[in-house]
Amino acid sequence: MFAGLGAPSAVVKGATDFATQVDLDLEQRIRQQLTDRTGINVHGEEFGGPDLTRGTTWVLDPIDGTLNYSAGLPT
C-alpha cells in the first residue's frame, strides 16, 4: 500500500474529512474478501452497509489515519 502513500483526497466527506482513492479501493477489496471468505456482511466507513443493530457484521475502516497517510506518513 506504500504505492499510494501521499495520495491526495479523492472524496471530500466534510470540512476536515476525506477519503483517498486508496481508501476506496482497499475497502472494496477487503469487503469482497471478507464476504467471500466468511459470508458475513460488511459495513465500511466509505461505502456504508447493513444496519449494525441486527445480526453479525464486519465493521471496516480501510485506512485508520487517512490524513497522515495522505500527507506521506506511513504510520
Side-chain angles (χ1 to χ4, degrees), residues 1 4 6-7 11 15 17 20 22-24 30-32 36 39 46 49-50 52 55 58-59 62 70 74:
M1 284 296 100
V11 176
D17 194 11
T20 65
V22 176
D23 284 295
L24 303 175
I30 295 169
R31 174 188 298 269
Q32 188 65 52
D36 289 351
E46 311 309 335
L52 296 176
W58 290 103
V59 176
S70 70

Side-chain angles (χ1 to χ4, degrees), residues 37-69:
R37 293 175 184 212
T38 68
I40 298 171
N41 289 324
V42 177
H43 185 101
E45 179 183 18
E46 311 309 335
F47 297 105
D51 182 353
L52 296 176
T53 62
R54 297 186 179 159
T56 302
T57 304
W58 290 103
V59 176
L60 174 62
D61 180 356
I63 298 178
D64 186 30
T66 298
L67 179 62
N68 287 335
Y69 183 81

Side-chain angles (χ1 to χ4, degrees), residues 11-32:
V11 176
V12 177
K13 300 189 299 184
T16 59
D17 194 11
F18 62 91
T20 65
Q21 189 62 49
V22 176
D23 284 295
L24 303 175
D25 293 346
L26 269 177
E27 184 170 318
Q28 296 268 16
R29 184 175 181 180
I30 295 169
R31 174 188 298 269
Q32 188 65 52

